Amino acid sequence: MSDITAAEPPSTARDGRLSYAVFQLARAHRGHAAAMLRALNLHPGQELLLMQLFDHDGQTQAELLERVGLDHSTVSKSLRRMQEAGLLTREPAPHDRRVMVVSLTDAGRALQEPIAGMWRDLEQISVRDLTPDQVDSFTACAHTIEKSVRDHGRQTPPAT
């Protein structure tokens, strides 16, 4: 079987070579990460919520939304699943019963090292054919591209 990711992009994407490469990279990386997460009985994205809670346990659901940059329905669904799995609790805040405070359980806290190990393994797989300078360069470029895309999304469309 040939390596289709190394091939030229489809003709429609030829003027978007970088964007197509980013898409292919993100798809491959996310797919591999998803398989690693399944081994931990997690769904993609749940590790991002857990990592935020490892750093700052007892956050409100709104704070988590802001920190992970996912939409409300995705976070709500993930938190519900994680609560059902016994990884966290959601309780009304003492100052405002409408605000939900999310806290780790012992089972959730126990995933900190396995998730850190998963990210270490994924990093080693990802950079195995790169020099440290290439990793630094790629990381800087990736942040620049992300910022450019994020900033463009924040621009208001011109009035017509």
Side-chain angles (χ1 to χ4, degrees):
M1 184 197 286
S2 66
D3 183 5
I4 61 170
T5 59
E8 284 292 311
S11 61
T12 309
R14 259 191 215 118
D15 291 336
R17 285 181 26 233
L18 180 131
S19 295
Y20 191 76
V22 168
F23 169 78
Q24 291 288 81
L25 169 62
R27 186 173 66 173
H29 198 268
R30 182 172 168 84
H32 198 77
M36 295 172 89
L37 287 167
R38 277 193 298 276
L40 298 175
N41 293 316
L42 294 172
H43 296 278
Q46 290 180 335
E47 85 284 10
L48 301 176
L49 294 164
L50 287 168
M51 290 189 306
Q52 289 299 322
L53 291 167
F54 296 149
D55 287 349
H56 305 284
D57 199 6
Q59 294 181 56
T60 67
Q61 195 162 319
E63 289 169 330
L64 279 171
L65 275 167
E66 178 71 24
R67 288 196 168 113
V68 296
L70 299 171
D71 66 86
H72 182 271
S73 62
T74 300
V75 170
S76 292
K77 183 178 179 180
S78 290
L79 292 176
R80 181 183 46 77
R81 280 182 172 173
M82 294 164 71
Q83 185 173 10
E84 290 169 358
L87 302 177
L88 54 83
T89 61
R90 292 186 296 173
E91 297 176 351
H95 68 279
D96 184 345
R97 308 294 290 169
R98 297 169 296 176
V99 174
M100 297 302 283
V101 176
V102 183
S103 301
L104 292 167
T105 63
D106 289 341
R109 269 186 226 87
L111 286 172
Q112 185 167 2
E113 184 47 42
I115 289 173
M118 184 218 87
W119 278 95
R120 277 191 303 272
D121 293 346
L122 187 58
E123 183 78 1
Q124 288 174 350
I125 291 163
S126 299
V127 304
R128 74 174 176 223
D129 296 327
L130 300 173
T131 67
D133 285 345
Q134 287 173 317
V135 172
D136 291 343
S137 218
F138 177 83
T139 303
C141 287
H143 289 302
T144 300
I145 292 167
E146 179 203 3
K147 182 182 182 315
S148 180
V149 171
R150 196 175 354 96
D151 290 350
H152 184 269
R154 288 185 185 140
Q155 293 175 357
T156 54
T160 53

